[in-house]
Amino acid sequence: MRIYKVGGAVRDRLLGKPVTDIDWVVVGATTEEMLAKGFRPVGADFPVFLHPKSGEEYALARTERKSGRGYGGFTFHASPEVTLEEDLIRRDLTINAMAEDDQQNLTDPYHGQRDLEARLLRHVSPAFAEDPLRVLRVARFAARYATLGFTVAPETLALMRQLSESGELEALTPERSWKEISRALMEDQPQVFVEVLRACGALKVLMPEVDALFGVPQPPAHHPEIDTGAHTLSVLQQAALHKQPLTVRWACLLHDLGKGLTPEEEWPRHIAHEFKGLKLIKAVNERFKVPRDCQELALLVGEYHTHGHRALELKPSTLLELLQSFDIYRRPQRFEEFIAACEMDARGRKGLEERSYPQADYLRGAATAARSVAVQPLLEKGFKGPELGEAIKRERLKALKAYKETESI
Ligand code: ATP
Ligand code: MG
């Protein structure tokens, strides 16, 4: 049996990037031989094994053939006769279809190295179109390597467009899609992920609510970039620049969905877009079975981001409602993430990227003031049940009034 490094490990070494996980391919071996060497099988019916010591993935060389819709519709063939070249041709991109032996001899039948130099994400063969997940993967790699100057080859984009228009994307499971989306959002240039999906028509299929924002104008006084889609991309870019976590990035992507629903006669104003957008945010959340913390923050940011921007003008009672909605007493981290998302929203505007955002500290101060109300003295006064709740609220309101007064001096 012969063993090669494949995929990301080879690509990233040639790019001079740190290699985190290594995938291996084994040529000329049978399942029985692998088991005899102590490798542990990963799935019941997939010829992939974990190394007994390193835990790294070793896959038997295989060929694949499409036999139905979606990911389930694949039959594969693994046998000791399958060659390295045959295994490599089933892979997505040429830069991911190189192999290397233990002497660092490169096997590169599909010219991955040439495409690395040309900074091109190019599909290996027409079989690319057999797995719609590849549309998302290519967009994710585009987001990751945009800084290095990579773009999607025009013929690959054309294939991605074909896949998007064929209805195949709808066959993807929420889990597979979310895995790609969440990884892409954590890249350095997550906005490129959205741009590439849009360029090939996949955004319209996967997230029509986001796609609908392009071409929708906003008031130039607040939004020099005007276009709502362009704004959304800038907010996402700011979130990446400021190293925000996934929750915040997801909320940034969805915060303005309501603007896509505004009747054209009302443009460029978007009255009550915050509230109108909630059902769209909920739909996208559910479509991809998004983790709870991401879902929650996206909904809260959608509903309250304008409150964030107007923090300094809010009446104490409105401020209190905001803080209560976030349950800042038990969920301090979530409120911090809300503030971060608002700040990214404010900076994701053309020419305003460096602006200061005094609302952030103001909101933090308000939260501190509300939290400083002690419950013990109220208990001692004999308050119980709902009355205790009301008394706490009254005290918090007082604290916020005092806070607002000192802050406005
Ligand atoms: P990363 O740095 O994100 O791990 P990677 O290229 O190693 O990038 P993996 O998901 O670990 O990506 O997959 C390893 C290799 O398997 C890829 O480089 C590619 O050759 C192949 N591969 C993975 N998923 C697919 C797919 N859906 N279609 C075709 N080839 C794939
Ligand atoms: Mg990998």
Side-chain angles (χ1 to χ4, degrees):
M1 73 173 70
R2 292 175 312 282
I3 299 179
Y4 303 87
K5 271 186 201 172
V6 279
V10 180
R11 176 196 69 221
D12 287 338
R13 184 185 70 75
L14 292 172
L15 279 173
K17 290 227 150 198
V19 172
T20 43
D21 81 319
I22 305 182
D23 300 296
W24 304 86
V25 67
V26 183
V27 178
T30 60
T31 295
E32 292 68 34
E33 287 170 292
M34 296 300 282
L35 297 176
K37 284 185 181 290
F39 282 87
R40 297 189 306 273
V42 171
D45 45 25
F46 231 52
V48 179
F49 304 83
L50 297 181
H51 190 277
K53 292 216 181 73
S54 71
E56 286 167 349
E57 274 194 14
Y58 286 68
L60 293 187
R62 65 178 190 261
T63 58
E64 285 176 348
R65 202 159 41 79
K66 191 167 175 67
S67 55
R69 262 177 88 87
Y71 191 55
F74 262 104
T75 46
F76 64 84
H77 168 73
S79 84
E81 285 76 46
V82 175
T83 65
L84 183 58
E85 285 75 7
E86 284 172 328
D87 178 276
L88 293 174
I89 201 168
R90 70 174 171 81
R91 293 168 186 269
D92 48 5
L93 296 171
T94 61
I95 64 165
N96 290 344
M98 295 181 278
E100 195 176 85
D101 66 13
D102 57 4
Q103 308 292 311
Q104 289 198 350
N105 294 313
L106 201 64
T107 303
D108 180 18
Y110 311 108
H111 309 296
Q113 217 177 5
R114 194 171 71 194
D115 286 336
L116 271 185
E117 275 153 31
R119 301 299 197 229
L120 277 176
L121 304 171
R122 188 202 305 276
H123 64 283
V124 175
S125 86
F128 177 92
E130 293 183 355
D131 178 6
L133 189 77
R134 293 170 189 159
V135 173
L136 288 132
R137 281 178 58 90
V138 173
R140 172 165 68 80
F141 284 116
R144 182 189 296 178
Y145 297 121
T147 317
L148 296 177
F150 277 83
T151 57
V152 181
E155 57 272 33
T156 302
L157 200 67
L159 260 184
M160 290 161 71
R161 171 166 291 283
Q162 211 175 300
L163 262 167
S164 305
E165 287 166 358
S166 71
E168 279 282 319
L169 283 177
E170 279 124 86
L172 288 172
T173 62
E175 290 79 11
R176 287 187 91 207
S177 301
W178 174 253
K179 198 169 160 222
E180 290 300 325
I181 294 167
S182 56
R183 291 183 71 187
L185 289 177
M186 292 313 291
E187 297 292 353
D188 281 351
Q189 308 247 33
Q191 78 285 0
V192 172
F193 175 71
V194 182
E195 277 166 349
V196 170
L197 291 181
R198 178 163 178 257
C200 69
L203 191 62
K204 200 184 228 125
V205 179
L206 297 168
M207 297 188 211
E209 301 86 351
V210 177
D211 195 65
L213 300 178
F214 292 86
V216 174
Q218 309 163 102
H222 295 293
H223 285 282
E225 73 288 346
I226 298 178
D227 186 81
T228 310
H231 164 61
T232 298
L233 295 182
S234 302
V235 177
L236 202 50
Q237 188 173 20
Q238 287 298 316
L241 271 171
H242 289 87
K243 307 273 180 241
Q244 297 296 343
L246 179 62
T247 44
V248 173
R249 296 183 192 206
W250 182 242
C252 285
L253 178 65
L254 305 186
H255 78 285
D256 265 347
L257 292 189
K259 290 182 179 172
L261 294 176
T262 310
E264 272 188 52
E265 317 74 92
E266 290 175 26
W267 285 358
R269 297 192 62 205
H270 298 281
I271 303 149
H273 74 273
E274 301 86 347
F275 178 74
K276 288 183 199 160
L278 292 179
K279 63 173 189 284
L280 302 185
I281 297 173
K282 191 157 173 276
V284 181
N285 274 339
E286 286 170 3
R287 187 173 313 140
F288 299 110
K289 295 195 182 152
V290 172
R292 173 117 348 249
D293 55 346
C294 290
Q295 291 209 20
E296 271 181 16
L297 190 72
L299 286 164
L300 286 164
V301 169
E303 186 165 2
Y304 294 110
H305 61 276
T306 309
H307 277 61
H309 302 326
R310 300 191 50 244
L312 280 79
E313 297 122 63
L314 295 180
K315 290 185 293 189
S317 58
T318 314
L319 205 44
L320 181 61
E321 277 166 35
L322 178 71
L323 300 176
Q324 303 286 94
S325 303
F326 276 85
D327 193 8
I328 58 154
Y329 317 98
R330 283 184 295 181
R331 305 284 301 271
Q333 182 58 32
R334 188 171 65 177
F335 191 58
E336 271 304 319
E337 290 177 356
F338 164 72
I339 295 172
C342 290
E343 184 165 349
M344 299 309 113
D345 179 21
R347 290 174 185 268
R349 303 175 192 216
K350 204 171 165 208
L352 298 171
E353 295 82 358
E354 306 294 326
R355 82 202 303 195
S356 65
Y357 195 68
Q359 292 91 327
D361 277 341
Y362 185 85
L363 287 168
R364 288 186 188 108
T368 306
R371 284 193 196 103
S372 70
V373 168
V375 177
Q376 193 58 30
L378 299 170
L379 285 170
E380 281 164 15
K381 281 189 191 158
F383 286 111
K384 287 200 277 291
E387 281 167 16
L388 177 63
E390 286 307 310
I392 295 173
K393 255 183 153 171
R394 270 200 306 280
E395 291 304 315
R396 285 175 179 162
L397 191 57
K398 260 197 239 167
L400 286 174
K401 280 183 182 152
Y403 173 70
K404 195 168 161 62
E405 270 161 36
T406 43
E407 284 295 303
S408 57
I409 293 169

